[in-house]
Amino acid sequence: MKNKASFIPQEGEARPSRCPDNTAFKQQKLPAWKPQLNIVTVLSSFFLTGTFCLTVGVCLILSANSVREIQIDYSDKCSECSKLRENTSNWNKECHCSVNFTLKEDILGDIFMYYGLQNFYQNHRRYVLSRSDAQLLGRNANIQNSYCAPFTTYRNGTPMAPCGAIANSIFNDTIDLFYNLNSSVIQVPLLKTGNSWWTDKNVKFRNPKSYNLSSAFAGTARPPYWQKPVYLLDEEDEKNNGYVNDDFIVWMRVSAFATFRNLYRRIRRIRQFADGLPAGNYTFRISYNFPVTKFKGRKHVILSTVVWSGGSNPFLGIAYVVTGTAATLAGFLITAIHLKLRKKKTYFQK
């Protein structure tokens, strides 16, 4: 070990300097723009900002109001099924109900079908964390060390796939749409794939690698509230099964509010529906599986078009209008203060 005296500089030796190098970057001498604020530039910035925000806000509100949307609450219309689902022992019993509605005018363009839930809180911290991202990536993860509890394994030790409270509470109502044309009933073709984000479908969710999807999930069991194992979520399309199932991916993106809607299907524009939905009588046929009575919730089906700004949500437009109004009023207030002070200054100079 060296002597402490060896670290003390001897007489005549230069002391080590902590000063930064004499460069423009380290001495903060780089050229910078230093605006010279005056009344003209300040007022111009306020009024320009206000005009821009008001213009964008009005355009967004008009765009949102041009969206055609139909929302149907089927909570009470399927009351018998709701009572059946209150008893958890009836989980394996099927229950169907129908809801009729009428379109007075044609709805043209691309039409999206959403399911909506009210009073369902997905923003609870334990609920949001109750998932295993490693498992959803198809890895052989130890879910016992994850936040999935108590939805990790059964009493016999069989792991759940997928684990966690989010996956266990997936929305599992089946909704079909029928068009009543004269005396015939035509099923409206619906697209069940292509409804999730590309990053979710190709990056965040992957199936375990195996020659067969059922063998990939061998040794696991479905969550308690599920009626099918994860590899049989879509019996018509093999590529839409497992962790990459679109309905499952959409549900796993939790909402920040208690009332929300998730994309469920898209209308396939073929035959009578090539231009959209024609006016007439329609029927929703629902296989009721998702109970909402215990948490006093409501369920909706929404048919909606979209525009360049998205769906019928005026929040962004209102926010722009409020910001633009505030900036404009601030500009007028600053102008009034400036004129008042200038008059006083002129009076005292005289």
Side-chain angles (χ1 to χ4, degrees), residues 298-319:
R298 312 286 299 180
K299 293 195 289 188
H300 308 84
V301 185
I302 303 104
L303 293 173
S304 176
T305 59
V306 295
V307 290
W308 61 271
S309 60
S312 62
N313 187 357
F315 173 79
L316 187 59
I318 294 173

Side-chain angles (χ1 to χ4, degrees), residues 71-90:
Q71 180 170 311
I72 297 174
D73 188 329
Y74 65 94
S75 305
D76 297 330
K77 297 179 180 179
C78 298
S79 56
E80 294 184 2
C81 292
S82 179
K83 292 178 180 178
L84 180 70
R85 289 289 174 256
E86 287 181 8
N87 188 351
T88 55
S89 61
N90 297 325

Side-chain angles (χ1 to χ4, degrees), residues 120 122 124-136 141-154 158-171 205 220-226 230 243 248 251-252 254 290:
F120 188 90
Q122 286 189 315
H124 192 282
R125 185 173 182 274
R126 287 196 61 187
Y127 182 88
V128 173
L129 295 176
S130 186
R131 58 188 290 165
S132 173
D133 291 319
Q135 184 192 48
L136 298 176
N142 183 9
I143 59 176
Q144 293 287 358
N145 296 329
S146 66
Y147 292 99
C148 288
F151 302 102
T152 51
T153 59
Y154 286 92
T158 304
M160 299 181 188
C163 70
I166 307 177
N168 183 59
S169 61
I170 188 173
F171 182 87
F205 294 83
T220 64
R222 58 175 176 79
Y225 291 171
W226 284 32
V230 66
Y243 297 145
F248 174 71
W251 177 259
M252 292 300 289
V254 296
F290 193 86

Side-chain angles (χ1 to χ4, degrees), residues 208-224:
K209 294 182 180 179
S210 179
Y211 67 93
N212 187 301
L213 194 59
S214 60
S215 63
F217 289 98
T220 64
R222 58 175 176 79

